[in-house]
Amino acid sequence: ANPVGDDTLLEAQTTVTVLVGGKPAEAKVEYPRGKPAAGGKERYAVYEGTVTITGTVPAGEDDAVEVRAKVVACKDGLCLRPAVVRAK
């Protein structure tokens, strides 16, 4: 989720990056609230199932827009390496 709610889990936090014309762009990204979860002493937020992340992207007429979402899949305390999902 974003925010994940626990500083020790920041590398697992979902993040979205927007590129316009192949260059990083200032985009206003709105993350939904994550579902509260707990593991040991830590309390954090997670996304489950399908999640919709919205945002506003400044783009010119002919600029190609690419959206990249960094996600980490976890189950029962085991996590895969971060992956980047791309959409153009």
Side-chain angles (χ1 to χ4, degrees):
N2 187 333
V4 72
D6 184 322
D7 288 345
T8 64
L9 300 173
L10 287 178
E11 288 204 20
Q13 182 167 276
T14 300
T15 57
V16 172
T17 305
V18 177
L19 292 100
V20 176
K23 298 178 183 176
E26 291 292 325
K28 181 180 178 188
V29 179
E30 297 179 25
Y31 297 92
R33 183 176 295 212
K35 176 183 173 185
K41 296 179 182 179
E42 297 88 16
R43 300 213 182 284
Y44 50 93
V46 298
Y47 293 143
E48 292 182 335
T50 301
V51 176
T52 301
I53 299 172
T54 60
T56 304
V57 179
E61 292 178 17
D62 298 326
D63 291 334
V65 177
E66 180 178 350
V67 178
R68 297 177 182 177
K70 182 192 74 133
V71 297
V72 177
C74 299
K75 183 174 181 179
D76 298 329
L78 298 174
C79 297
L80 299 175
R81 291 180 156 206
V84 176
V85 179
R86 296 176 179 167
K88 292 184 178 184

